Amino acid sequence: LLPPATDMQRQELIDTLGRTVAQRNLPGGQSSLRMDDLIPAESLSSGTYMLRCTSGKLTLTRKLIK
C-alpha cells in the first residue's frame, strides 16, 4: 500500500460512523497487507469501510466495500 519506509506504519479500518474497527502497527520496511491479517472478513458486517495507512507524513486512504 505505502512504499516501504523506515517509519512505523499504522493501518486502521474505519466504519462509516468514523469508529475504528481494527488497527495495527507494522515495523518500518514492511508494506504488505492481507485483510485477514487486520481483521477476519467474517467478523465484519456488510457495508462500506475506509482503510487508512499512515507512515511518517504520508497517509493513504482507500474505500472498501463488503
Side-chain angles (χ1 to χ4, degrees), residues 1-2 9-11 33 51-55 58-60:
L1 291 171
L2 293 175
Q9 185 180 126
R10 180 178 180 86
Q11 298 173 339
L33 171 69
L51 176 63
R52 179 186 306 149
C53 299
T54 305
S55 179
L58 182 63
T59 299
L60 176 69

Side-chain angles (χ1 to χ4, degrees), residues 17-37:
L17 297 177
R19 297 177 297 202
T20 299
V21 176
Q23 65 183 1
R24 74 174 181 169
N25 293 316
L26 292 174
Q30 190 174 354
S31 64
S32 64
L33 171 69
R34 288 186 46 228
M35 197 61 202
D36 283 341
D37 290 342

